[in-house]
Amino acid sequence: MNNALSLVNVSLEYPDGGSTLKALDSVDLVVGRGEFLSLVGPSGSGKSSLLAVAATLIKPTAGLVVIDGQDVSGLKEAERTALRRDKVGIIFQQPNLLPALTAVEQLLIREHLRGKPLKDARRKAVELLDVVGLSATMHKRPHQLSGGQRQRVNIARALMGSPTVLLVDEPTAALDHERSESIVRLLRKVTDDFRTATVMVTHDTEFLPLTDAVATMRDGRISRASVPSILPN
Ligand code: ADP
Ligand code: MG
């Protein structure tokens, strides 16, 4: 099965006072390996909720989430955690790096905490830091890096588990135009090279042509369009 990520008729309700708020309303979405999808839509339309459900961080009220052929809904909590670790990479707007650790240590900390031997992980971390253009800054700590470099560390860290699905929430919101473009280009390259199914929430409509398709959210509902049809000409 080529569909790395499928959401089938997914709804998500949050308690809202005495009633409920429908953050996701019958959402269908399929993303294949090597596909880079942009997710746009107004604030509050459900974009981050969609990513949280796709990341198996939140269980939907209804519907199916299928990752790499596996239906997530039937899994126990520990199995979901394992699936997330093995199949899902998550990149948020704020890199959330640990201040005391160097770039390469940020990539190794999870393996270290799990008591794994670090030899292979270290080789992989060095390779990934090269992919994101940080070979020369591997031993720098977050305060010695620029915002763009910190986001690159974040991207490399998300790739450590060789994820099938890469979920990215407004990765450029804290960056200037030039750095934003280079981050989106990097996500394009990563998607091509590692064949991830990548979903990126973004407000930067000018970078949409770097992605394969655009889905728009409005009031929890999703519509999917190809890039050219939503761009002004
Ligand atoms: P977006 O990322 O597009 O801005 P969100 O997915 O964050 O949208 O939010 C969708 C809707 O769900 C909004 O109305 C928001 O207020 C609501 N919401 C988001 N997270 C929660 C939560 N943890 N509890 C209650 N309501 C929430
Ligand atoms: Mg959001």
Side-chain angles (χ1 to χ4, degrees), residues 2-227:
N2 190 28
N3 296 334
L5 172 66
S6 306
L7 305 191
V8 186
N9 209 9
V10 165
S11 293
L12 174 68
E13 289 173 4
Y14 292 115
D16 184 34
S19 72
T20 58
L21 186 151
K22 208 160 206 183
L24 298 174
D25 187 0
S26 311
V27 167
D28 289 310
L29 182 67
V30 172
V31 189
R33 291 209 77 145
E35 187 177 10
F36 190 4
L37 176 82
S38 302
L39 190 59
V40 301
S43 180
S45 59
K47 305 181 298 297
S48 294
S49 297
L50 187 152
L51 291 193
V53 165
T56 78
L57 291 168
I58 300 182
K59 277 191 191 186
T61 316
L64 290 183
V65 178
V66 183
I67 294 176
D68 221 2
Q70 187 158 26
D71 173 7
V72 175
S73 43
L75 299 181
K76 298 193 179 72
E77 199 50 46
E79 295 168 324
R80 286 159 69 91
T81 305
L83 179 105
R84 194 181 310 131
R85 190 184 61 219
D86 295 340
K87 306 274 187 186
V88 182
I90 304 174
I91 299 167
F92 293 124
Q93 176 183 333
Q94 293 301 334
N96 265 327
L97 303 176
L98 297 162
L101 300 187
T102 65
V104 69
E105 288 167 348
Q106 310 280 347
L107 273 62
L108 294 172
I109 183 72
R110 269 213 275 180
E111 264 78 4
H112 176 69
L113 291 175
R114 289 170 65 210
K116 298 257 171 186
L118 289 184
K119 193 160 164 277
D120 289 349
R122 192 179 297 279
R123 189 179 332 111
K124 185 162 190 179
V126 169
E127 269 172 33
L128 286 172
L129 288 169
D130 184 39
V131 167
V132 302
L134 291 181
S135 287
T137 38
M138 203 162 80
H139 300 299
K140 298 232 156 110
R141 295 188 165 74
H143 73 274
Q144 300 170 299
L145 300 171
S146 70
Q149 288 174 326
R150 285 195 290 270
Q151 192 55 288
R152 286 166 186 272
V153 175
N154 197 18
I155 292 169
R157 184 176 55 182
L159 294 168
M160 274 300 283
S162 304
T164 311
V165 175
L166 196 56
L167 303 168
V168 195
D169 203 347
E170 307 205 27
T172 63
L175 301 178
D176 65 25
H177 178 270
E178 198 176 322
R179 285 180 176 148
S180 297
E181 176 165 352
S182 75
I183 290 294
V184 180
R185 286 193 186 280
L186 175 60
L187 291 167
R188 171 80 264 176
K189 177 181 156 54
V190 157
T191 304
D192 293 341
D193 291 358
F194 298 102
R195 312 267 316 136
T196 53
T198 305
V199 181
M200 175 180 69
V201 171
T202 185
H203 282 116
D204 292 321
T205 49
E206 63 199 297
F207 304 137
L208 297 182
L210 292 171
T211 68
D212 297 311
V214 181
T216 304
M217 294 215 64
R218 195 170 293 279
D219 296 335
R221 300 186 69 90
I222 197 166
S223 67
R224 197 166 173 176
S226 64
V227 173

